[in-house]
Amino acid sequence: MLTEDRHLTYGELADGVDEFARTLGTGRRLVLLETLNDIATLVRYLGALAGGHVVLPVAAGGDHRAIVETYRPNVIVDGAGVRTHSPETHHLHDDLALLLSTSGSTGSPKLVRLSHANLMSNAAAIAEYLGIRATDRAATTLPMSYCYGLSVIHSHLLAGAALILTDLSVTDEQFWTLFRRHRGSTFAGVPYTFELLERIDFPSMDLPHLRYLTQAGGRMPAERVRRFAEQGQRRGWDLFVMYGATEATARMAYLPPDFALTRPEAIGVPIPGGSFSLEPCRDWPGEEIGELLYHGPNVMMGYAQCAADLATGRTVDVLRTGDLARQTTDGLYEIVGRKSRFVKMYGLRIDLHQVETRLRDDGVAALCVDHGDGLAVVAAGGHDATTVRRSAAAAAGIPTEGVHAVAVTELPMLTSGKPDYQTARKLARDAEPARAPRDHTDLRALFGEVLHLDPADIGEEASFVDLGGNSLSYVAMSVRLERMLGQLPAHWPQMPIRDLQQLPPPRKPRRRFWDTTMETGVALRAAAIVLIVVSHAELFEVWGGAHILLGVAGYNFGRFCLTPLPRRRRIRHLRTTIAWIAVPSMVWVALALVITDDYHLTNLVLADKFLGPSDSMTSGRLWFVEVLVWILVALAVLFWLPAADRIERRYPFAVAAVFLAVGLAVRFGPGSDLDAKFTVLAFWFFALGWAAAKASSTVARVAVTLALFVGLIGYFDHTEREVLVAVGLVLLIWLPTLRCPAPVAVVAGVLAEASLYTYLTHYQVYPLFGEHRVIGVLASLLAGVAVTAAVTALRRRLRPTSGRAITAPEPAHARR
């Protein structure tokens, strides 16, 4: 066992355990143990178990009066030492070994009864699926009174591994100094731990002996799971996401690391020796969804509510988790909802009824509901909301920041006289804007404006991707968000609005010209549309912009269409993207057919390059739109198939690479010398952008870059054009952002947002100015911007109001 100043061998640990066991005597006793992550506590805990006593661990410094009064422990072990508390003889069942609280730190006397067999079976299962080695060294980042923290200790001791005992936080530099000095190979965290890790730039840390991280204690957002899995893939360690409960000793399921990248919303598979079943639920007709039941040797003996229950044997054979779940075709389980009234926060399981009871005892009549990943309290009786927040936070044992309080005249009730929790939840949601961290971040209004949604229907757990954002709305959103929030994280499209609100405020303007970052995809869209217009207007010829745009379109397809959302929502988003491109194009062609002779009826269905006429000098102008739309239609049909969707989720880069290989095969195949470079042969540009979006490692990016150079060899028979396209797409592959002057970023954002309408309209605009080509180019760009603004205003006026909150997808609702 390793600490800041001690190195205790297993032999020395065994001696200390034997000595403490003798201190407690031979008679079997109930021992309440205040815990710290130190050697003294570990020796006392193991000594009590070795002596055959029943241990009740509690956090040091907490209020344990209710538990002490209810169970009357014979011995209390705390900072003052070992003292006899009650001489009462307890009838303790022979199998009983450990008692753990079910309700975090709310002080509830309801305890979970665990046997020696529970502890051994769960420790062995965890050691097996984690592959714990005798050479591993695990840091104790969680309290020993918490089942997750204890499971780390049990499993590593069983495997003969070492423990780095510390109460330091992961935000403390001393923790990492200790971790490196003792060659730490693993540590465990709840979702809040991983949030802290992101704040301290964990990916940049030098941790040469780190083998894996484990996460449990509540649902972690799928995108955060994916980000840490990607970091681990780059740095050589694994991420195990786990699902469990105190009633299962600790763990019931784990997500194999390979799935953390492709199925981050799933809880995974049962642990060795355990199994799941689903009990049908009447509220989910027609769905293969039911309450998740767990079977295994680690299922608790049962609950204890008073001292007499400690004599009871096993009363539970199957654990009813209270979670609604389904098993997907790949064998993984997903959580889709909850049946009971608990929330998981900061690694604690908060009993909402218990919090209500504590508030009532304090004279506050209130209803408690889950609120996103937090707790909301609706209180009646003229109480101050701030005071209620503090009381509720104290009752739940969590920071005040995790509680949202609303003051009302009277509590909402049903006609039956029962609490109306649905209305309470709505009251909390409606009052949410008042607690936004900063006045300038009215993000739901901004999301509603850009995505043409009613802000009242947007939930704070929803992200840009959840709300149907795509490559066309991405530019407008990113530009406006940067003005509001400052520089954005690379993964902002997947971040919930709630997390975006928590970003640090924008820096004060500095007197530096190069003080703005711009996403490379945005810069390329702006540059490409300008090159397209100036080349067509014959101001000067720099060809290749449309092929760069096709690569950017594939890149955005990988980012915004192939997301972690459920298959049906994926296809719905893709269908919306296709409509945003196809419908305006068809409308414009219809208008042009009336006032010009530029197009044919085949253009109206975006099929001129396929149906002809082949001798027209003008009707092939829209080749880029035609190719893009039909590529997206074909892929939408493909990924509508469950098998294809499943394979892509599991192997995202490999699937993109296969399509890139197919595109290159077509590009070099028979007929590649025909004038078809603007139709099917151009698909490989789209596939290359798609592969670039899914390339999460240096090796993958190198492979995509090599494919680009191979594909460009002789493609245009024009070296300058090939170089231009190569430079643009290499930037897309390797540089997510570019530094530029602030005015350039603003102009580029406007031009990129208007690129589609500029492409559609410029053919009819620049000829109006004859030989005044500069004016014609400027007029074409301005016309595209004007049409974009007009369409945006029209969509805003026609924006539907659903009356239903749009939130993050339901899968992965709760991972414990």
Side-chain angles (χ1 to χ4, degrees):
M1 306 306 111
L2 307 167
T3 69
E4 180 68 35
D5 53 9
R6 292 188 65 184
H7 183 165
L8 194 71
T9 66
Y10 266 86
E12 292 168 332
L13 176 64
D15 291 341
V17 167
D18 289 342
E19 181 179 349
F20 187 76
R22 289 193 295 272
T23 300
L24 293 177
T26 56
R28 198 157 182 246
R29 300 181 179 184
L30 176 60
V31 179
L32 185 142
L33 173 65
E34 287 200 350
T35 64
L36 295 170
N37 286 337
D38 58 16
I39 289 178
T41 300
L42 181 63
V43 167
R44 290 168 173 176
Y45 170 69
L46 296 176
L49 287 179
H53 306 288
V54 176
V55 186
L56 201 174
V58 295
D63 182 359
H64 314 304
R65 286 174 296 179
I67 289 178
V68 171
E69 291 170 4
T70 300
Y71 293 97
R72 301 180 300 280
N74 303 117
V75 177
I76 293 179
V77 183
D78 55 18
V82 181
R83 53 192 174 90
T84 300
H85 174 72
S86 170
E88 181 177 343
T89 300
H90 287 291
H91 297 287
L92 305 173
H93 193 276
D94 290 344
D95 294 337
L96 185 62
L98 185 67
L99 297 168
L100 291 176
S101 174
T102 65
S103 304
S105 53
T106 56
S108 170
K110 183 178 182 180
L111 302 177
V112 169
R113 297 182 292 117
L114 299 173
S115 68
H116 295 90
N118 292 152
L119 301 183
M120 286 297 297
S121 65
N122 205 230
I126 293 171
E128 179 181 340
Y129 73 73
L130 290 181
I132 299 176
R133 307 167 182 169
T135 54
D136 277 324
R137 297 184 172 194
T140 55
T141 49
L142 301 166
M144 202 181 295
S145 57
Y146 174 31
C147 70
Y148 188 11
L150 267 181
S151 74
V152 173
I153 291 171
H154 293 160
S155 57
H156 283 78
L157 290 179
L158 185 65
L163 295 169
I164 304 172
L165 297 168
T166 177
D167 278 313
L168 293 170
S169 166
V170 295
T171 60
D172 195 325
E173 180 57 35
Q174 287 180 298
F175 173 88
W176 298 109
T177 301
L178 185 68
F179 191 81
R180 281 187 288 266
R181 177 154 61 90
H182 289 311
R183 303 195 304 277
S185 61
T186 180
F187 64 90
V190 297
Y192 184 61
T193 308
F194 286 80
E195 184 178 330
L196 295 176
L197 291 177
E198 288 194 322
R199 295 180 187 176
I200 62 173
D201 195 21
F202 174 74
S204 67
M205 290 187 179
D206 180 25
L207 303 171
H209 302 284
L210 182 62
R211 284 210 308 124
Y212 63 88
L213 308 182
T214 63
Q215 183 269 314
R219 177 183 68 86
M220 191 157 77
E223 279 309 310
R224 182 167 288 153
V225 173
R226 190 192 300 275
R227 287 199 300 276
F228 273 92
E230 289 173 345
Q231 292 169 16
Q233 190 178 67
R234 291 193 295 268
R235 301 300 295 267
W237 46 263
D238 289 326
L239 172 66
F240 285 85
V241 177
M242 307 183 298
Y243 168 84
T246 308
E247 290 86 344
T249 309
R251 304 277 72 81
M252 291 182 280
Y254 71 101
L255 186 65
D258 290 345
F259 286 102
L261 279 170
T262 57
R263 293 296 311 283
E265 71 280 4
I267 63 168
V269 297
I271 66 171
S275 63
F276 286 127
S277 63
L278 297 173
E279 184 174 278
C281 181
R282 291 179 302 172
D283 296 331
W284 295 79
E287 297 265 7
E288 294 182 357
I289 290 174
E291 182 180 3
L292 188 65
L293 308 184
Y294 177 76
H295 316 257
N298 53 313
V299 173
M300 66 178 178
M301 297 174 65
Y303 290 112
Q305 308 248 20
C306 63
D309 292 336
L310 304 185
T312 306
R314 176 175 292 279
T315 60
V316 177
D317 293 317
V318 176
L319 180 59
R320 309 181 70 91
T321 67
D323 287 325
L324 298 175
R326 62 176 164 227
Q327 186 179 20
T328 56
T329 53
D330 55 10
L332 302 182
Y333 285 85
E334 294 178 348
I335 303 299
V336 299
R338 281 288 297 165
K339 289 185 66 176
S340 58
R341 298 191 59 244
F342 289 88
V343 294
K344 291 296 291 285
M345 302 171 62
Y346 303 98
L348 302 175
R349 187 181 185 213
I350 308 299
D351 184 335
L352 298 181
H353 176 74
Q354 182 75 17
V355 177
E356 288 177 354
T357 302
R358 291 281 297 272
L359 289 173
R360 191 177 300 114
D361 292 342
D362 291 338
V364 179
L367 299 181
C368 297
V369 294
D370 58 295
H371 184 60
D373 281 340
L375 165 66
V377 180
V378 178
H383 296 283
D384 176 70
T386 301
T387 302
V388 172
R389 282 183 68 202
R390 292 172 181 161
S391 299
I398 60 176
T400 307
E401 291 75 12
V403 180
H404 172 45
V406 180
V408 295
T409 304
E410 58 182 9
L411 295 180
M413 308 295 286
L414 300 171
T415 54
S416 62
K418 295 182 179 180
D420 186 352
Y421 288 106
Q422 185 73 15
T423 300
R425 195 171 282 108
K426 184 177 184 301
L427 289 170
R429 187 179 69 243
D430 291 345
E432 179 65 14
R435 75 176 188 107
R438 302 187 297 271
D439 292 340
H440 71 278
T441 56
D442 190 7
L443 294 184
R444 285 189 289 189
L446 176 59
F447 274 70
E449 177 184 350
V450 174
L451 299 176
H452 313 293
L453 300 170
D454 189 333
D457 293 342
I458 299 176
E460 67 168 7
E461 293 305 309
S463 69
F464 175 77
V465 170
D466 296 330
L467 295 169
N470 54 33
S471 60
L472 299 173
S473 52
Y474 170 77
V475 177
M477 181 60 75
S478 63
V479 170
R480 287 162 175 75
L481 274 179
E482 285 214 352
R483 292 175 189 165
M484 181 178 285
L485 302 179
Q487 185 173 344
L488 298 172
H491 58 277
W492 73 262
Q494 289 80 32
M495 291 178 64
I497 293 174
R498 175 180 56 80
D499 289 353
L500 287 172
Q501 286 181 319
Q502 302 298 327
L503 291 175
R507 297 172 300 176
K508 294 182 179 180
R510 297 178 297 173
R511 293 184 179 180
R512 290 175 56 184
F513 192 59
W514 293 83
D515 61 355
T516 301
T517 59
M518 177 170 52
E519 294 215 12
T520 303
V522 174
L524 291 176
R525 280 175 66 171
I529 194 62
V530 171
L531 293 179
I532 289 170
V533 174
V534 298
S535 298
H536 287 162
E538 299 181 355
L539 179 61
F540 51 83
E541 292 187 356
V542 184
W543 302 105
H547 292 81
I548 292 175
L549 278 183
L550 198 56
V552 173
Y555 185 79
N556 288 329
F557 169 77
R559 296 178 72 193
F560 304 123
C561 295
L562 299 183
T563 64
L565 294 176
R567 177 175 61 91
R568 292 180 180 176
R569 288 185 65 176
R570 265 188 172 189
I571 299 303
R572 187 162 64 245
H573 287 186
L574 185 50
R575 186 178 65 218
T576 301
T577 300
I578 294 170
W580 276 38
I581 300 170
V583 173
S585 301
M586 296 168 73
V587 169
W588 182 255
V589 170
L591 291 174
L593 283 172
V594 175
I595 60 176
T596 74
D597 58 358
D598 289 345
Y599 300 127
H600 298 276
L601 289 177
T602 53
N603 292 110
L604 193 59
V605 292
L606 304 180
D608 174 78
K609 270 293 180 181
F610 310 108
L611 302 180
S614 59
D615 59 348
S616 171
M617 296 295 294
T618 58
S619 62
R621 289 173 169 177
L622 300 181
W623 74 268
F624 169 79
V625 172
E626 294 181 3
V627 169
L628 179 57
V629 166
W630 289 110
I631 287 174
L632 293 176
V633 168
L635 291 174
V637 172
L638 175 66
F639 289 117
W640 176 79
L641 300 173
D645 177 83
R646 191 163 55 249
I647 293 171
E648 192 283 329
R649 290 177 189 273
R650 186 166 185 179
Y651 307 107
F653 176 72
V655 169
V658 167
F659 276 91
L660 175 55
V662 170
L664 288 173
V666 173
R667 175 256 182 277
F668 286 108
S672 61
D673 57 337
L674 302 177
D675 185 20
K677 295 182 176 63
F678 306 107
T679 53
V680 65
L681 293 189
F683 169 71
W684 74 273
F685 287 99
F686 180 94
L688 185 129
W690 173 9
K694 297 300 184 181
S696 58
S697 67
T698 301
V699 172
R701 294 189 184 96
V702 169
V704 176
T705 306
L706 292 175
L708 169 64
F709 292 151
V710 170
L712 281 176
I713 296 173
Y715 187 81
F716 298 111
D717 293 325
H718 192 285
T719 303
E720 289 79 4
R721 191 172 183 179
E722 290 159 1
V723 169
L724 174 69
V725 174
V727 170
L729 295 182
V730 165
L731 289 175
L732 187 68
I733 295 167
W734 290 97
L735 291 179
T737 59
L738 302 171
R739 302 287 298 181
C740 66
V744 172
V746 172
V747 173
V750 172
L751 292 176
E753 184 181 356
S755 58
L756 173 63
Y757 293 103
T758 302
Y759 185 88
L760 291 175
T761 61
H762 79 283
Y763 290 110
Q764 283 73 47
V765 175
Y766 70 79
L768 299 176
F769 297 91
E771 295 301 315
H772 300 288
R773 292 187 174 89
V774 173
I775 298 176
V777 168
L778 294 175
S780 297
L781 297 175
L782 291 174
V785 172
V787 173
T788 301
V791 171
T792 300
L794 178 62
R795 287 178 58 87
R796 192 178 299 123
R797 289 177 63 88
L798 298 177
R799 178 175 63 198
T801 302
S802 69
R804 178 176 61 87
I806 305 172
T807 62
E810 285 190 340
H813 172 75
R815 184 182 286 115
R816 298 186 303 175

